[in-house]
Amino acid sequence: MTDEILPRIRPAIAALAPYRQGKPAGPDAFKLSSNENPFDPLPSVVEALTHITPINRYPDATAGRLRERLGARYGVRPDEVHVASGSVSILHQLILATSSVGDEVIYAWRSFEAYPSLPLVAGATGVQVPLRQVEGPNSGGRHDLDAMADAVTDRTRAIIVCTPNNPTGPIVTSAEFAAFVERVPADVLIILDEAYGEFVTAPDAVNGLEERIFERHPNVVVLRTFSKAYGLAGLRVGYAIGHEKVLDAARTTGIPLSVTSAAENAAIASLDAEAELLERVAAIVERRTVLVEGLRAQGWDVPDAQGNFVWLPTGDRTDEAAAAFVEGDLIVRPFSGDGIRISVGEHESVDKVLQVSGSIVRTLQP
């Protein structure tokens, strides 16, 4: 159709590329592009979905039972817990609540690919701070918190810190984060995005919930999700813990009734079965270790992997390398010009990844 008249779209939105999900896998391929949990749901979670979830009724708009359960677990009041349809939804709500035209939102880059859209949708300006380049093998992909603190101006309204960093893998240490918070003005929101926190084994990693940073610093909000370690990616449920007034602001910007009864029931059932689920997390961590050690033995410069994924810094050969993995029935997540993120998937996928990576490392490694 030619010469059609369409509604006016904000120029910043029209220029923004939509979020691109990892490609689906064929019947014989392993999908290692979306950081999903490869295990099937636990029987108790399936039971909760099948027998106690009303489909013909609206959900509790506050996800009250889940907030009470999480509040009891972390020793906070339910009003200091916010539940939404994935942690990225809470990120969106917090940016809308804090930032508008003329304001700035700081985040590291490269980091989670949804971050650039968040300030733009709010009308604010995103400020990207490059990841820290540290000399030595396997040492890249880390947040430069000093540079992020230096980037704060009187227009800064929010800062996002992703640890472990998606897609590169390294964590922010507890000491680094403590020093960073002291440098940031108390009226600037700091969002500690710990979507992969359950997979972390580094003893010096920051843990916003265990350290209760939000109590000492009311401008810090900690995000977690049930999508990764708990295997509920298809149900979309995440949570935040922080100061009640900050979370109230997020709640006002959220879409009502976005957390379904199915998601709430599955999350509660998952908490009931947490010991069993954490055994699965340990299995994924073990596979991650095998994968990282195998890749490094082949000559790949793999940063410290603390999530459920590994990072190959393939640079300007990224698209070529990704095509080789696809040819080997492995769907990975390429970030053109930077590198490839490979999720830790089924047990059988690990050897297959190493077979393909070993065949291309000498010709494709930058």
Side-chain angles (χ1 to χ4, degrees), residues 76-153:
V76 299
R77 293 180 292 105
D79 285 343
E80 295 172 305
V81 182
H82 175 43
V83 175
S85 54
S87 56
V88 69
S89 292
I90 303 176
L91 275 165
H92 182 71
Q93 294 165 10
L94 289 169
I95 298 304
L96 284 176
T98 59
S99 309
S100 186
V101 177
D103 298 331
E104 294 178 345
V105 177
I106 296 172
Y107 53 91
W109 197 250
R110 174 173 292 274
S111 194
F112 180 37
E113 60 192 298
Y115 290 166
S117 68
L118 301 175
L120 281 175
V121 170
T125 299
V127 178
Q128 296 183 352
V129 177
L131 295 173
R132 185 158 49 101
Q133 300 301 316
V134 180
E135 292 188 10
N138 314 316
S139 58
R142 299 177 180 275
H143 273 55
D144 190 339
L145 292 184
D146 285 337
M148 293 176 73
D150 290 341
V152 173
T153 70

Side-chain angles (χ1 to χ4, degrees), residues 180-218:
F180 172 72
V181 172
E182 293 296 335
R183 290 192 59 192
V184 174
D187 61 353
V188 172
L189 176 65
I190 302 174
I191 305 169
L192 186 60
D193 187 352
E194 296 184 333
Y196 300 92
E198 291 82 2
F199 298 100
V200 173
T201 56
D204 58 345
V206 65
N207 185 317
L209 299 182
E210 288 187 1
E211 298 176 44
R212 308 184 72 81
I213 299 170
F214 49 87
E215 291 184 340
R216 300 190 304 277
H217 301 281

Side-chain angles (χ1 to χ4, degrees), residues 165-251:
N165 186 51
N166 174 20
T168 58
I171 52 93
V172 169
T173 70
S174 179
E176 289 171 340
F177 190 74
F180 172 72
V181 172
E182 293 296 335
R183 290 192 59 192
V184 174
D187 61 353
V188 172
L189 176 65
I190 302 174
I191 305 169
L192 186 60
D193 187 352
E194 296 184 333
Y196 300 92
E198 291 82 2
F199 298 100
V200 173
T201 56
D204 58 345
V206 65
N207 185 317
L209 299 182
E210 288 187 1
E211 298 176 44
R212 308 184 72 81
I213 299 170
F214 49 87
E215 291 184 340
R216 300 190 304 277
H217 301 281
N219 63 321
V220 175
V221 170
V222 182
L223 302 190
R224 291 288 180 96
T225 182
F226 286 92
S227 295
K228 311 301 182 184
Y230 292 88
L232 301 185
L235 291 175
R236 311 302 302 128
V237 56
Y239 61 97
I241 293 184
H243 194 282
E244 177 182 354
K245 290 185 178 180
V246 177
L247 298 185
D248 279 345
R251 286 186 266 264

